[in-house]
Amino acid sequence: MKIVIIAGKAGVGKNYLGEKIKNVALQEGLRAITTEFSKYIKLYAKEILNYDEKKDEKPRSFLQDTGSFLREYFGEMFLIKRMLEDFVLYQKFCDMVIITDVRLIKEIEEMKERYSDVYSIYVKNDTLENHLNEKEKEHITEIELEDYSKFDKILENKTKEELEIYATEFVQSWKEK
């Protein structure tokens, strides 16, 4: 099973790139999915706040605060352990798993330590305004990866078309391995 880790700050195009990689992989005959470390936090937002991902703006402070609370209360590995449990099932049904919301070093390091076929991409977009308030911009999930230097690829998101081209080239080259 191939694992693609997509990291970056809010609003840089992580989900867009992940969906494009998944779609290309599916066209190439691979069984591919996208997933997120934050999927359980978003489920809590849905249950507690009645958050509708399709029509509501992300409750960023709630998501950040809930993630921090879970890591403090249960330990920094809480969401990582949940993802690793999910991977037991994913290995049975997937050729490629794309994690589209990597925000912490520990998330990257654990995946790379446990699995041999992991590729990490850091998406940047210095011109995009992400509409976060100052407190949200300073949250650990927005700043921890700024100086991380072990990414396999740093990708500048200039246009959607460039992301689409990268997704196609990436899947085709990785499939050949």
Side-chain angles (χ1 to χ4, degrees):
M1 180 175 69
K2 298 176 183 304
I3 300 168
V4 181
I5 292 171
I6 303 177
K9 295 184 179 205
V12 296
K14 297 180 301 294
N15 287 330
Y16 186 84
L17 177 61
E19 282 299 315
K20 293 302 171 189
I21 291 172
K22 179 183 88 173
N23 291 339
V24 172
L26 291 170
Q27 290 171 359
E28 293 288 324
L30 297 170
R31 299 171 301 164
I33 64 162
T34 58
T35 190
E36 301 174 314
F37 282 106
S38 65
K39 65 186 168 192
Y40 297 107
I41 299 171
K42 289 177 180 175
L43 177 61
Y44 297 139
K46 179 181 176 184
E47 294 173 342
I48 295 167
L49 303 176
N50 203 27
Y51 167 60
D52 182 344
E53 201 167 355
K54 296 206 185 311
K55 69 176 188 171
D56 296 332
E57 185 176 319
K58 273 187 190 170
R60 181 75 58 190
S61 290
F62 176 87
L63 298 173
Q64 289 178 339
D65 292 345
T66 302
S68 293
F69 171 78
L70 292 170
R71 285 187 295 277
E72 288 169 21
Y73 191 84
F74 293 107
E76 70 175 336
M77 290 290 292
F78 178 72
L79 293 170
I80 297 168
K81 285 181 182 176
R82 285 214 164 165
M83 181 66 76
L84 293 171
E85 291 168 354
D86 292 347
F87 270 50
V88 172
L89 182 65
Y90 296 158
Q91 285 181 306
K92 184 175 174 72
F93 295 103
C94 302
D95 300 312
M96 180 182 284
V97 175
I98 305 135
I99 307 172
T100 62
D101 71 339
V102 177
R103 299 297 192 98
L104 301 172
I105 293 169
K106 190 77 170 162
E107 295 168 344
I108 298 167
E109 297 296 325
E110 283 296 319
M111 290 296 126
K112 287 195 170 202
E113 184 177 308
R114 292 171 188 264
Y115 296 94
S116 60
D117 210 355
V118 178
Y119 193 84
S120 60
I121 304 167
Y122 185 76
V123 181
K124 292 176 57 171
N125 187 328
D126 296 330
T127 62
L128 190 66
E129 176 55 44
N130 60 20
H131 305 292
L132 302 184
N133 64 42
E134 288 307 312
K135 181 182 175 203
E136 293 166 344
K137 287 178 183 178
E138 295 303 317
H139 192 267
I140 190 168
T141 57
E142 289 298 318
I143 62 173
E144 184 169 279
L145 295 176
E146 288 178 336
D147 297 322
Y148 184 72
S149 62
K150 297 179 184 176
F151 291 105
D152 296 304
K153 174 75 174 175
I154 296 176
L155 184 62
E156 180 71 34
N157 176 6
K158 295 178 184 169
T159 66
K160 287 183 174 184
E161 292 78 19
E162 287 182 16
L163 291 181
E164 292 166 10
I165 291 167
Y166 176 78
T168 301
E169 292 172 352
F170 170 77
V171 171
Q172 289 173 347
S173 70
W174 212 17
K175 187 179 175 192
E176 293 170 4
K177 286 184 178 182

